[in-house]
Amino acid sequence: MPLEGPDDARADSLIACPSCGMGDTRENVEREVAEYMASGVSQALDAMVEGFALGLGQSSNLEGPRAERVFRFIIDEEA
C-alpha cells in the first residue's frame, strides 16, 4: 500500500500509511527504505558466499545469521 503525503513533499514533510497511520518525515522514510534494500543485498551476498563455500567443502566463516530487523514502512511479501 503506498504511503500518503503531500504531492510536493520536502524532506521534513510528514508521510504516513493510510491504513495504520504510522508515519514519519519523508527523509526518515527514505532512509529506512534504503536500509531495507541494503539489508536485502547483504543477506543475498551472505547466501552466495555460504553456498560457494559449502560447494568447496569449506566453512564460510560467517559470524552467523544477521539479526532480524523490522522495518516500519516495508511489508515483506515473503514472510
Side-chain angles (χ1 to χ4, degrees):
M1 174 175 299
L3 298 175
E4 292 182 344
D7 291 337
D8 60 345
R10 297 183 321 262
D12 62 344
S13 296
L14 293 178
I15 308 292
C17 173
S19 178
C20 71
M22 173 70 72
D24 206 331
T25 62
R26 189 192 85 189
E27 180 178 36
N28 288 339
V29 170
E30 288 176 351
R31 180 175 39 248
E32 189 165 325
V33 169
E35 289 170 1
Y36 169 78
M37 298 303 292
S39 172
V41 169
S42 293
Q43 290 175 5
L45 289 173
D46 285 353
M48 287 174 53
V49 168
E50 185 72 24
F52 182 73
L54 290 174
L56 294 174
Q58 303 288 322
S59 169
S60 66
N61 293 323
L62 293 176
E63 295 178 9
R66 293 177 185 270
E68 196 68 29
R69 180 167 173 204
V70 175
F71 294 91
R72 298 176 296 164
F73 304 106
I74 304 293
I75 296 174
D76 191 350
E77 297 292 332
E78 296 177 18

